[in-house]
């Protein structure tokens, strides 16, 4: 809890002061420390203790305050006076002693925490005194410039630069009279070995080369140079920095490094500096079977021990409080991080104070070389750096020089990260909760069971009860457990001397793994990864449009047919296949937290459900004579569905487990349960699966109430409006009233949650506090969903709210620019389906087809959207989310309605993407250098949309979807015009 929110700080002195007095006496006995230096150590420990106890005890003090207030033992006449009365009471030792009856182990645990931090402070003081005469060799002004040699004077100590380990020890920053150095209470042999290795690879005098801080090794601890953050000052420095990132990727892959996240890398101008390298040669990482099919397991094994595990490349967290946060060394970009819930003391200063949560921005790290990095602009330098140093290392290996160079790492101590730090942090919060303090044995049993269960699911994590018991014991004293080993041993030593894993030579294993690596796969993973740094599905990097050749399309239908067949062939050839017949792909996948490079999810946007929709559509087109047969199509579709079944069954098994504590899947129509319902309805309707498998869609619909209740999003893509449409599809397919009633219940929640003003309606959210326009995320999509609900129910509430939502987007239109404004302070929306003109226009055209609202008003929206999209929306890529084939659908609808831009007809609208795809090949993904098999961002969508260009195509839109087939399995005609 932040200091300014502490409130209870004055209560904590009686817990801290006696130990600080003992520490002061111990420091006074260190003759090699001056008076001011002893005061600096004491002040640093005091600050650390105050912050630690504030974090541990605020919730307990709130409970006791509430009990005292409601129980009538606070007698002052006002809420403010009762607050002060409580503080006075809680500032006495007798108050804390009196808590022992209800919290039996509280004082024992507090004494352990306070005593260990004081002991760690005294230890630092002794070590500083022993080494002070040589610390001048390391002191730096932060820019890498040495400030002098000889004796130094300690002026301040900042403890807590990282987690607390092994008896309250933590990294500390020492201020030394205008200079700084870092203290690390662990062996620095690996840091020193890495520094020597880098000196062999690079010119020591090269200013922008990658490096590690200079170190001074001691037995079990050491000192390092302090490296300050400096932004690059020129384009040349930025090129040097990102080339250096590529060099680090090459070395991290060689060393089998992990945990090189944002806080472990400093951008020192053009030099990326790794400041903590204890996780080189990470031992004991294993991949567990998922139960979701052999294809998924095989894909995960392919990703294992690749550059993705280093922590350098962008990636979104999935653990508890860090869900959706990118902590990578290259990412953690400003404006692309979600706010995270942080505790604060609401009502401080009154007896009604309580601990509450509020969203707070993720603190910026010092890993960025510029204020607003554009990764796509610099990524070629990253890849070039990776390839250049990898080639150099390969030459050294072939010459027999690499293994001898790695011998310098033999026997050094390294750390194994077996569980996410946030897992430990969350368990620590639970163990210090008042309920847990009241019944510590029950809390310990819960924590132990959770860690053992995690170990069973993740073979790298300990499951041995003795090891887990030692981990929990450290968490009780607010230490994060550490597992370490020497590279020559490999078996890990954990808390209380426990052992985990098997002995092996970590350096030899890392070299063997590097030699066996598929460097083409590694390069592709690097190429994919920047997408994860961006939180939205519609990020569009800088870059020129795809050049358009000057040639006409003589036979557009034949060309579209050939290109669609080629796209499906590529999907077939890039699939990962399992021995059990399952199929998946490795690609960037969009989920509710952002992008991640992984085996495909179950969702429709970029996952298996969307690919299955496209493949089923292609097979139907083949049967109808509108597409060319593709060898292996049936096997590919069957394998994709088999993977969907396996994952569906495994997810239900997990949910049925008494140990399930997971967050509900989102309800959205493209990301979440709604997309899976749509997918199964489509597969049943296309007779790809047996009609009995409609039960899967029914089961998913049964999970929607919990999902809708848990989501904070109202939109179509991931939120509640998507659930409305999925339920309407299910109701139409089954004829069962209960699904229509459930859709109406969700719609009622949307009506009640709408923010209304001047005849408009929007749905504010954390990322868009003033509301958001557009289809996938905004009011147009929600209005479209409510319009369909109003037509199914006849409920005027849904009609009125739908019209108000559509009015909100009409009000965002800016006649001067011909674009829609973006209320997220991003200027104007791009001409795309997800955020801008394409989605707004396609929805308006669909509302005309449905017969909802004023057709002339909708036609004007289509005209405006088409004008905004032609030609501005063309030439970026060929996807249907934010590329040419999404624009094609809008422009074709505009041509049918007679509101297309002047001179634009169906032939021109169709010819542009066909010629572009023929010339460049299908360009997909949000970043067009990245392959994507998915429906909305990728190749499956390209194939599907090309099929819809055929005259007489019966395939419905996936941008404004509905159930494509009637209950008897007959295709619905798609209205045009």
């Amino acid at each position: 809890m932040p200091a300014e929110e502490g409130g209870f700080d004055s209560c904590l002195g009686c817990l801290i002061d006696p130990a600080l007095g003992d520490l002061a006496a111990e420091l006074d006995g260190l003759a090699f420390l001056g008076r001011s230096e002893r005061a600096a150590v004491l002040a640093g420990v005091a600050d650390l203790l105050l912050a630690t106890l504030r974090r541990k005890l605020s919730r307990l003090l709130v409970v006791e305050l509430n009990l005292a207030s409601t129980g009538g033992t606070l007698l002052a006449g006002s809420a403010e006076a009762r607050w002060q009365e409580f503080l006075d009471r809680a500032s006495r030792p007798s108050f804390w002693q009196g808590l022992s009856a209800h919290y039996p182990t509280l004082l024992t645990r507090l004494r352990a925490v306070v005593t260990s931090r004081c002991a760690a402070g005294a230890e630092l003081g002794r070590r500083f005194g022993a080494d002070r005469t040589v610390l001048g060799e390391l002191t730096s002004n932060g820019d890498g410039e040495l400030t002098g040699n000889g004796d130094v004077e300690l002026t301040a100590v900042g403890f807590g630069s990282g987690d607390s380990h092994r008896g309250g020890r933590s990294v500390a920053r020492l201020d030394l009279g205008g200079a700084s150095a870092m203290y690390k209470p662990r062996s620095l042999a690996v840091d020193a070995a890495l520094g020597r290795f880098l000196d062999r690879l690079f010119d020591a005098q090269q200013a922008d080369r990658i490096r590690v801080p200079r170190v001074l090794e001691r037995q079990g601890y050491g000192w390092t140079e302090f490296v300050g953050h400096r932004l690059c000052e020129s384009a040349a420095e930025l090129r040097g920095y990102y080339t250096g990132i590529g060099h680090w990727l090459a070395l991290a892959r060689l060393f089998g490094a992990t945990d090189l996240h944002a806080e472990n890398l400093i951008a020192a101008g053009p030099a990326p500096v790794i400041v903590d390298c204890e996780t080189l040669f990470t031992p004991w990482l294993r991949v567990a079977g998922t139960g979701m099919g052999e294809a998924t397991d095989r894909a995960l094994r392919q990703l294992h021990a690749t550059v993705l595990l280093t922590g350098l490349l962008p990636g979104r967290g999935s653990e508890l409080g860090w869900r959706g946060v990118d902590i990578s060394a290259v990412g953690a970009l400003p404006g692309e991080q979600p706010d995270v819930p942080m505790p604060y003391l609401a009502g401080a200063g009154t007896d009604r104070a309580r601990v509450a949560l509020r969203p707070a921005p993720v603190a910026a790290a010092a890993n960025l070389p510029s204020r607003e990095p554009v990764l796509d602009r610099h990524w070629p330098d990253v890849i070039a750096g990776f390839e250049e140093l990898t080639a150099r290392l390969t030459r050294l290996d072939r010459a027999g020089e690499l293994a001898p160079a790695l011998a310098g790492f033999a026997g050094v101590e390294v750390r194994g990260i077996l569980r996410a730090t946030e897992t430990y942090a969350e368990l620590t919060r639970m163990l210090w909760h008042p309920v847990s303090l009241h019944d510590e044995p029950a809390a310990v049993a819960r924590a132990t069971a959770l860690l053992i269960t995690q170990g069973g699911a993740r073979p790298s994590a300990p499951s041995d009860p003795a090891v887990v018991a030692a981990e929990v014991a450290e968490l009780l004293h607010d230490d994060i457990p550490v597992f370490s080993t020497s590279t020559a041993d490999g078996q890990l030593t954990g808390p209380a001397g426990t052992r985990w894993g098997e002995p092996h030579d970590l350096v030899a294993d890392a070299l063997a793994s590097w030699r066996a690596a598929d460097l083409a796969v590694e390069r592709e993973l690097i190429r994919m990864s920047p997408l994860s740094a961006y939180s939205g599905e519609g990020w569009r990097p800088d870059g020129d449009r795809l050049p358009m050749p000057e040639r006409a399309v003589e036979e557009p239908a034949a060309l579209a047919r050939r290109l669609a067949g080629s796209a499906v062939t590529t999907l077939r050839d890039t699939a990962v296949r399992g021995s059990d017949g399952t199929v998946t792909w490795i690609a960037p996948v969009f989920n509710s937290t952002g992008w991640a490079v992984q085996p495909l999810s179950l969702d429709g946007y970029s996952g298996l459900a969307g690919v299955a929709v496209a493949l089923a559509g292609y097979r139907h087109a083949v049967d109808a004579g509108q597409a060319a047969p593709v060898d292996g199509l049936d096997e590919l579709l069957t394998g994709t569905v088999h993977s969907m079944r396996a994952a569906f069954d495994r997810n239900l098994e997990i949910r049925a487990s008494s140990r399930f504590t997971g967050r509900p899947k989102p309800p959205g129509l493209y990301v979440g349960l709604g997309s899976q319902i749509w997918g199964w309805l489509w597969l049943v309707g296309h007779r790809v699966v047996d009609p009995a498998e409609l039960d899967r869609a029914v089961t998913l619909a049964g999970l929607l109430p919990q999902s809708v209740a848990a989501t904070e999003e109202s939109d179509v893509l991931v939120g509640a409006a998507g659930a409305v449409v999925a339920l309407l599809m299910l109701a139409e397919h089954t004829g069962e009233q209960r699904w229509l009633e459930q859709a109406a219940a969700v719609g009622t929640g949307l009506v009640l949650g709408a923010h209304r003003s001047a005849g408009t309606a929007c749905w504010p959210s954390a990322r868009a506090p003033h509301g958001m326009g557009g289809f996938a995320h905004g009011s147009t999509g929600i209005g479209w969903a409510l319009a369909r609900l109003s037509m199914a129910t006849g409920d005027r509430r849904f009609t009125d709210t739908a019209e108000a939502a559509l009015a909100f987007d009409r009000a965002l239109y800016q006649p001067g620019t011909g674009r829609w404004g973006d209320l997220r302070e991003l200027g104007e929306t791009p001409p795309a389906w997800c955020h801008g003109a394409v989605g707004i226009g396609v929805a308006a055209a669909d509302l005309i087809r449905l017969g909802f609202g004023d057709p002339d008003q909708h036609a004007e929206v289509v005209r405006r959207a088409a004008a905004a999209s032609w030609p501005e929306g063309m030439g970026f890529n060929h996807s249907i989310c934010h590329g040419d084939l999404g624009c094609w659908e809008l422009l074709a609808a505009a041509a049918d309605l007679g509101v297309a831009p002047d001179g634009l007809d169906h032939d021109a609208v169709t010819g542009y993407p066909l010629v572009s795809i023929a010339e460049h090949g299908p360009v997909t993904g949000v970043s067009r250098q990245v392959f994507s098999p998915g429906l909305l961002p990728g190749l499956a969508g390209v194939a599907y949309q090309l099929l819809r260009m055929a005259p007489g195509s019966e395939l419905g839109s996936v941008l404004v979807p509905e159930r494509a087939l009637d209950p008897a399995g007959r295709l619905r005609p798609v209205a045009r015009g």
Side-chain angles (χ1 to χ4, degrees):
M1 189 171 296
E4 64 271 20
E5 306 291 357
F8 292 119
D9 286 2
S10 63
C11 302
L12 305 178
C14 65
L15 300 173
I16 296 171
D17 291 345
L20 288 178
D22 293 341
L23 175 60
E26 184 174 357
L27 293 173
D28 285 343
L30 302 180
F32 39 73
L33 292 182
R35 177 181 298 177
S36 63
E37 291 177 323
R38 295 194 295 271
V41 175
L42 190 66
V45 173
D47 288 344
L48 174 64
L49 285 175
L50 188 62
T52 301
L53 296 195
R54 180 192 305 127
R55 191 171 62 248
K56 299 301 167 203
L57 297 174
S58 288
R59 193 177 295 275
L60 180 146
L61 286 168
V62 162
V63 170
E64 293 302 313
L65 170 64
N66 182 266
L67 289 172
S69 179
T70 58
T73 63
L74 296 178
L75 305 176
S78 69
E80 292 76 13
R82 288 189 294 274
W83 162 268
Q84 188 58 52
E85 183 183 356
F86 178 79
L87 294 188
D88 293 343
R89 182 183 302 176
S91 300
R92 304 182 190 122
S94 58
F95 169 83
W96 295 96
Q97 293 162 1
L99 295 180
S100 295
H102 196 69
Y103 308 113
T105 62
L106 174 62
L107 287 179
T108 302
R109 285 167 61 177
L110 287 175
R111 278 193 292 270
V113 170
V114 172
T115 300
S116 66
R117 271 63 177 176
C118 288
E123 182 179 69
L124 180 145
R126 290 192 298 272
R127 289 172 170 178
F128 172 78
D131 299 331
R132 65 183 306 156
T133 59
V134 290
L135 278 177
E137 299 172 13
L138 294 179
T139 55
S140 165
N141 60 9
D143 292 328
E145 299 176 2
L146 296 179
T147 57
N149 295 305
D151 202 359
V152 293
E153 181 181 1
L154 180 62
T155 57
V157 181
F159 287 97
S161 297
D163 299 313
S164 169
H165 305 293
R166 293 170 171 164
R169 295 177 175 90
S170 63
V171 175
R173 174 177 170 176
L174 279 59
D175 289 341
L176 304 168
S180 296
M182 301 299 294
Y183 163 71
K184 296 192 175 183
R186 64 167 177 83
S187 169
L188 295 185
V190 67
D191 304 65
L194 180 55
R196 292 189 294 269
F197 187 87
L198 294 177
D199 288 343
R200 294 183 63 171
L201 281 181
F202 298 97
D203 179 358
Q205 304 305 313
Q206 182 182 344
D208 62 349
R209 76 172 178 92
I210 62 174
R211 63 184 183 90
V212 294
R214 291 177 287 270
V215 304
L216 180 63
E217 290 184 75
R218 290 293 184 264
Q219 186 65 37
Y221 74 98
W223 313 89
T224 79
E225 162 200 6
F226 171 72
V227 178
H229 181 219
R230 178 174 77 79
L231 299 178
C232 290
E233 297 175 354
S234 66
E237 284 198 338
L238 280 170
R239 285 194 298 273
Y241 178 86
Y242 283 104
T243 300
I245 291 295
H247 289 162
W248 274 125
L249 283 167
L251 288 175
R253 181 62 186 89
L254 170 65
F255 295 137
T258 62
D259 207 44
L260 300 179
H261 53 70
E263 292 185 353
N264 288 339
L265 183 140
I266 303 293
V273 182
I274 296 290
V275 295
D276 194 342
C277 55
E278 64 178 328
T279 55
L280 300 192
F281 307 104
T282 294
W284 204 246
L285 291 179
R286 293 181 174 182
V287 179
T290 63
M292 298 184 181
E294 173 59 27
T296 295
D297 290 347
R298 183 180 174 195
L300 288 172
R301 289 195 295 271
Q302 289 182 15
L303 294 174
H304 182 61
T306 66
V307 287
L308 290 184
L309 271 68
T310 65
L312 288 163
L313 294 170
R316 299 277 162 179
S318 59
E319 298 281 348
L320 304 168
W322 291 101
R323 180 176 172 82
V325 177
D326 175 17
I327 62 169
S328 66
V330 185
L333 302 183
E336 299 295 340
Q337 297 279 54
D339 288 345
V340 296
M342 295 296 292
Y344 75 105
L345 197 59
T350 74
D351 66 345
R352 295 184 295 274
R354 70 188 191 283
V355 174
L357 296 176
R358 63 183 175 193
V362 178
N367 64 307
L368 301 180
S370 59
R371 287 186 175 84
E372 295 183 355
V374 180
L375 294 187
D376 189 69
R377 188 180 300 160
H378 303 294
W379 217 244
D381 297 319
V382 173
I383 294 172
F386 173 79
E387 292 177 337
E388 184 270 327
L389 187 53
T390 297
R392 195 189 318 173
L393 294 169
T394 301
R395 291 193 298 270
L396 288 173
D397 194 33
R398 289 172 178 168
E401 299 176 13
L402 185 57
L406 291 175
F409 292 95
V412 302
E413 181 180 302
V414 294
R415 181 181 173 191
I417 306 293
L418 304 187
R419 306 189 199 271
T421 298
E422 182 58 25
T423 297
Y424 285 136
E426 191 68 19
L427 285 177
T428 302
R429 285 189 283 271
M430 184 269 283
L431 289 167
W432 282 88
H433 191 279
V435 172
S436 298
L437 290 167
H438 174 63
D439 188 354
E440 183 178 293
V444 167
R446 285 195 300 273
T448 300
L450 286 168
L451 291 181
I452 290 175
T453 299
Q454 185 189 65
R458 301 178 183 177
S460 296
S463 56
D464 183 335
V467 179
V468 171
E471 290 180 280
V472 174
E474 292 215 341
L475 295 175
L476 288 172
H477 297 154
D478 199 35
D479 273 346
I480 299 298
V482 170
F483 292 85
S484 62
T485 186
S486 81
T487 56
D489 181 356
Q491 189 176 34
L492 290 155
T493 299
T498 54
R499 302 281 279 173
W500 178 249
E502 301 168 356
H504 51 296
D505 186 328
L506 298 181
V507 177
D509 284 359
L511 182 57
S513 174
W514 178 77
R515 286 170 173 166
D518 186 333
L519 295 179
V521 170
E522 302 280 350
R523 280 193 298 271
E524 188 60 25
L525 293 175
I526 295 171
R527 197 182 306 277
M528 291 178 179
S529 63
L531 201 55
S532 296
Y534 296 86
S535 57
E537 85 297 336
W539 169 65
R540 298 175 65 153
D542 290 350
D544 297 331
R545 296 174 187 276
L546 296 169
M548 276 297 295
E550 295 291 335
R551 66 187 179 98
V553 180
E554 297 180 0
E555 297 181 1
L559 180 56
R561 175 187 173 110
R562 177 173 64 81
L563 294 175
S566 177
V568 172
T569 299
T570 301
L571 286 172
R572 179 198 68 193
D573 294 344
T574 54
V576 178
R577 300 171 186 272
S579 58
D580 57 356
T582 54
V583 168
T584 191
W585 289 260
I586 295 173
V589 173
F590 184 74
N591 54 48
S592 58
T593 65
W595 291 94
V597 177
Q598 62 177 65
L600 294 198
S601 67
L602 282 175
D603 297 325
Y605 183 85
S606 54
L608 290 170
V611 175
V613 163
L615 293 177
Y618 193 91
R619 193 175 77 172
H620 174 81
V622 171
D623 293 342
Q626 294 179 332
V630 172
D631 289 342
L633 170 64
D634 287 345
E635 180 185 5
L636 187 66
L637 175 56
T638 299
T640 303
V641 175
H642 190 9
S643 292
M644 292 172 61
R645 289 192 190 103
F648 176 93
D649 293 342
R650 178 56 179 155
N651 284 335
L652 283 189
E653 180 183 336
I654 292 171
R655 288 191 63 88
S657 167
S658 61
R659 298 185 299 270
F660 176 73
T661 58
R663 182 188 182 100
K665 300 291 184 185
L669 186 62
Y670 292 90
V671 176
L673 300 177
S675 73
Q676 296 176 44
I677 292 170
W678 171 26
W680 286 111
L681 289 175
W682 185 277
L683 294 172
V684 170
H686 274 281
R687 298 182 179 177
V688 174
V689 300
D690 189 272
E693 296 207 57
L694 178 64
D695 287 347
R696 297 184 186 275
V698 170
T699 299
L700 291 164
L703 301 177
L704 277 175
Q706 182 185 19
S707 173
V708 171
T711 188
E712 298 176 357
E713 304 297 337
S714 302
D715 62 20
V716 168
L717 190 82
V718 302
V724 168
V725 179
L727 289 165
L728 289 175
M729 291 179 178
L730 186 59
E732 186 181 10
H733 190 103
T734 63
E736 294 185 19
Q737 183 69 16
R738 58 173 171 154
W739 305 123
L740 184 58
E741 292 172 355
Q742 188 172 327
V746 179
T748 298
L750 288 170
V751 170
L752 296 175
H755 177 81
R756 299 175 184 272
S757 176
T760 69
C762 68
W763 286 261
S765 64
R767 60 179 170 175
H770 304 294
M772 187 185 299
F775 186 87
H777 296 295
S779 291
T780 286
I782 300 170
W784 170 80
L786 290 174
R788 291 188 59 181
L789 182 59
S790 77
M791 297 184 74
T793 62
D795 192 321
R796 188 67 198 177
R797 296 175 303 155
F798 302 139
T799 306
D800 293 343
T801 307
E803 289 176 341
L806 298 170
F808 179 82
D809 262 341
R810 286 197 299 273
L812 293 178
Y813 182 71
Q814 300 173 349
T817 63
R819 303 280 284 272
W820 278 260
D822 194 320
L823 294 180
R824 295 168 299 166
E825 299 181 356
L826 298 179
E828 299 171 344
T829 60
W833 167 82
C834 44
H835 289 288
V838 171
I840 292 169
V842 167
D846 194 55
L847 292 172
I848 294 174
R849 181 183 68 85
L850 293 170
F852 178 87
D854 183 344
D856 292 336
Q857 195 173 56
H858 294 322
E860 176 60 17
V861 172
V862 175
R863 184 194 67 76
R864 292 174 173 179
S869 302
W870 179 267
E872 290 300 313
M874 312 296 285
F876 172 69
N877 70 21
H878 301 124
S879 77
I880 56 178
C881 177
H882 39 262
D884 292 358
L885 290 173
C887 289
W888 168 82
E889 182 162 333
L890 167 65
L891 294 169
D896 288 338
L897 293 169
V899 293
D902 290 344
L904 191 65
D905 56 20
H906 268 289
D907 290 343
V909 168
T910 301
Y912 186 108
L914 288 178
V915 170
S916 182
I917 296 171
E919 181 71 15
H920 303 290
V923 179
T924 60
V926 175
S927 173
R928 60 190 181 201
Q929 289 81 23
V930 175
F931 167 75
S932 173
L935 181 65
L936 270 294
L939 198 59
V942 169
Y944 185 83
Q945 208 76 325
L946 288 169
L947 296 175
R948 295 188 68 230
M949 291 179 176
S953 171
E954 296 175 311
L955 297 177
S957 172
V958 296
L959 297 184
V960 279
E962 62 179 335
R963 190 171 54 83
L965 307 179
D966 67 21
R970 295 185 297 270
L971 278 166
R972 293 177 175 279
V974 177
R976 297 188 182 278

